[in-house]
Amino acid sequence: MEDERIIARSAIPSDVVFADQIIHEMESSAIARGSGISKRSAASIIEKIDNGKAIVAVTENGEWAGFSYIETWDNERFVSNSGLIVSPDHRNKGVASLIKTQIFELSRTRYPLAKVFSVTSGSAVMKMNTRLGFEPVTYAEIARETTFWDGCKSCVNYDVLQSKNRCNCLCTAMLFSPKLN
């Protein structure tokens, strides 16, 4: 249905049925755009859903429309907003913006003192991040944990990242710093 309403919400355990669709679309989308993306396993997507660290978008009929998740780094000093993907059938309908807003809110609610970051090569995500208060930063200003950077190993641009000693790459790092009173 063309005008079917999309609901973006915290993922629930039954949403694990979408894990294979999510990882397939992440990879297909990266290939189609010719951009790098860190590959995720179905098990990692399921773990995010099970731990309350994901937002899923679905149609009123229960069809998968989009997904994103959070992860903490450097002893919860940083939260990454990652894996934003929208089903091709639901693109250009504001679904990414709905998900991005909710994943950011989840980050701020669960980890109010943490800095929130996003690493992207997509201008649409950069614009959404800017609207939420993120600013472009150097890689030195985001998570330093080796495990975070290991996630880039499956990206087609990993050699670029390595040759630059993890100081920069083709993605842009964006950071939201909470105002601490």
Side-chain angles (χ1 to χ4, degrees), residues 2 29 33 51 115 127:
E2 181 81 19
S29 180
R33 290 188 324 261
N51 290 323
K115 293 180 179 183
K127 288 174 187 173

Side-chain angles (χ1 to χ4, degrees), residues 22-90:
I22 292 165
I23 61 168
H24 171 75
E25 193 50 49
M26 284 177 172
E27 188 171 5
S28 296
S29 180
I31 291 167
R33 290 188 324 261
S35 64
I37 191 166
S38 175
K39 289 187 176 105
R40 283 87 171 180
S41 67
S44 72
I45 298 300
I46 291 167
E47 182 262 329
K48 300 297 181 249
I49 292 169
D50 286 345
N51 290 323
K53 293 183 172 186
I55 297 295
V56 67
V58 294
T59 67
E60 290 176 299
N61 291 330
E63 175 187 336
W64 174 74
F67 179 82
S68 187
Y69 69 88
I70 63 173
E71 187 56 72
T72 60
W73 305 100
D74 298 359
N75 295 311
E76 298 184 358
R77 290 184 317 135
F78 292 95
V79 178
S80 61
N81 287 184
S82 300
L84 177 62
I85 191 70
V86 175
S87 162
D89 293 343
H90 301 288

